[in-house]
Amino acid sequence: MNSQASAFEVSNYLLGHAWEDARVQALVEGWEQLDWMDDEDLKKARTDHRLSLMNQARGIYLFFTDPDSHEARYGASSGKGSLILSRVSLLLHFHPQWTPYAGSLPLALHADDIVGDVLQRLGQPAELWRVGLNVSKARWLSPQAEIDVSFERGTGRLKLVTMTRPRVARASVIAVPSPEQFAKQFGRPLAELQRDTHFAPFSLDRKTREIAEYGEADYSEELGIELYFKPGAEMADAVPAAPRNAEPCLSGLRYRADLDFQSTGYTGPLPWGLRMSDTMDVAMAKAASRPFKQALNDDDGYQLWRTELCDVHVLYSFLEDRIYRVTLLAHGCYD
């Protein structure tokens, strides 16, 4: 990939530019969402590390984060400001309610391209997501950008193109129990987990009040994980291991993608070998069974599986064509 062309593309799509940048303000001028946003909303966005804007009439989705979060993930921004543009999705053959993006596309893509043409013209991608012979997404890399190209199932037409800057090196991952190990602990009392060396990374002693008040221990910023607890008496009928008393017992956990409500992004193992970058088609193929329940709309949706060990809830962002959250739930505790 030509590095000069890539550098032009990144600048053209404003990645790394600040909310206050004149070009960013010109891009979002007149967007409907801004009619009900004020300074307090922008301040909250900085606190939450995220601001999402979408324009169905132009086929564009934008994701901003605060300067510190941007620098930690992508390095220095292209200008100073309160929020930095970190991800851009250009929607093409996406949904009837979305007008296809009509501007220029990165990688010299064309709106009428189909998957075979793209793979032949651009060459081997850095990553490829497929189910059988059907390619659902491919990723190309350059020093300036990470570009995901998603394809419509059946027709192979361009569905959407998502761009971010390449990630800087991440800190070493802290080892936590595997999804299977977690699920096998459902119903186990908090007092026992506090003494279990497998749960040492969570320092559960520091979360006793949070667990008592809210039924959860939030490690989203540190590990990209939340742990959930219920009184044993509320679990005992469905989870034989749970004691029939009021002691908090492990009842579920949630893995979060990066910047999902202040999360650093979980990067460890997920059920069935899922990855947060997987499309829904790929996730279903890895699950190797139909979901027990699902609710899907234009922008996002979820699927729920019931497995022998636990329920598995997968939430998708269709605007980015990837998984956003994976949640494991003890049987019968969250119906």
Side-chain angles (χ1 to χ4, degrees):
M1 191 185 302
N2 185 284
S3 60
Q4 291 183 340
S6 299
F8 168 77
E9 288 165 358
V10 170
S11 176
N12 194 41
Y13 298 109
L14 305 179
L15 286 170
H17 286 246
W19 172 259
E20 293 82 359
D21 187 290
R23 293 176 63 189
V24 174
Q25 286 299 300
L27 173 63
V28 302
E29 183 178 4
W31 286 27
E32 185 178 351
Q33 274 180 271
L34 299 182
D35 291 341
W36 57 80
M37 283 179 53
D38 56 22
D39 289 342
E40 282 301 313
D41 293 312
L42 293 175
K43 182 178 179 180
K44 186 176 187 304
R46 294 193 295 272
T47 301
D48 291 344
H49 310 306
R50 54 180 292 122
L51 172 68
S52 297
L53 291 180
M54 62 189 75
N55 189 326
Q56 289 188 346
R58 294 182 61 184
I60 303 175
Y61 167 78
L62 306 175
F63 181 93
F64 297 80
T65 190
D66 63 286
D68 289 344
S69 293
H70 182 277
E71 184 168 359
R73 289 159 174 80
Y74 308 110
S77 60
S78 299
K80 293 184 178 180
S82 58
L83 292 163
I84 308 298
L85 183 57
S86 302
R87 190 178 306 129
V88 175
S89 287
L90 308 175
L91 293 300
L92 294 129
H93 299 97
F94 178 68
H95 190 278
Q97 293 186 3
W98 281 75
T99 301
Y101 174 75
S104 63
L105 294 168
L107 307 178
L109 292 167
H110 307 290
D112 59 353
D113 278 337
I114 60 175
V115 58
D117 298 333
V118 173
L119 294 174
Q120 183 175 14
R121 191 165 70 244
L122 298 184
Q124 183 65 32
E127 292 189 62
L128 192 67
W129 288 260
R130 65 192 307 163
V131 178
L133 297 177
N134 181 62
V135 175
S136 60
K137 186 168 69 173
R139 174 174 293 169
W140 282 272
L141 305 176
S142 82
Q144 295 81 21
E146 179 180 283
I147 304 170
D148 286 356
V149 183
S150 295
F151 303 96
E152 189 179 40
R153 183 168 54 181
T155 67
R157 299 184 300 179
L158 293 187
K159 185 166 66 174
L160 67 145
V161 179
T162 301
M163 293 170 284
T164 65
R165 285 181 161 185
R167 287 288 298 249
V168 299
R170 298 190 181 193
S172 57
V173 177
I174 298 174
V176 299
S178 68
E180 183 180 23
Q181 289 170 329
F182 270 125
K184 288 180 177 180
Q185 302 305 314
F186 287 165
R188 193 174 177 194
L190 173 61
E192 292 185 13
L193 297 177
Q194 288 171 327
R195 299 190 296 270
D196 191 322
T197 56
H198 291 96
F199 283 78
F202 296 99
S203 300
L204 286 167
D205 291 344
R206 295 189 292 106
K207 297 287 187 175
T208 303
R209 177 177 293 183
E210 183 180 340
I211 292 168
E213 292 184 5
Y214 305 108
E216 65 180 47
D218 190 353
Y219 302 90
S220 296
E221 292 195 52
E222 306 97 318
L223 302 171
I225 294 176
E226 287 177 289
L227 302 181
Y228 300 116
F229 294 82
K230 277 183 173 291
E234 295 182 17
M235 300 177 62
D237 290 339
V239 183
R244 292 184 177 274
N245 58 36
E247 185 172 3
C249 299
L250 187 66
S251 57
L253 72 146
R254 172 167 290 163
Y255 303 103
R256 291 189 180 274
D258 193 38
L259 291 173
D260 174 30
F261 291 99
Q262 304 182 5
S263 173
T264 58
Y266 176 76
T267 58
L270 292 169
W272 310 313
L274 292 174
R275 296 189 299 160
M276 291 296 184
S277 58
D278 283 343
T279 67
M280 187 174 74
D281 287 351
V282 170
M284 291 180 67
K286 289 181 176 181
S289 64
R290 296 186 62 82
F292 167 76
K293 184 179 179 181
Q294 66 179 22
L296 309 173
N297 58 37
D298 302 353
D299 305 333
D300 55 30
Y302 77 85
Q303 294 180 311
L304 177 68
W305 283 267
R306 288 202 157 154
T307 72
E308 183 178 349
L309 281 177
C310 65
D311 291 351
V312 181
H313 183 284
V314 180
L315 178 70
Y316 306 95
S317 167
F318 297 136
L319 294 172
E320 301 168 48
D321 203 20
R322 65 178 179 130
I323 293 172
Y324 239 77
R325 300 172 198 157
V326 177
T327 308
L328 309 186
L329 302 168
H331 289 143
C333 292
Y334 295 92
D335 292 338

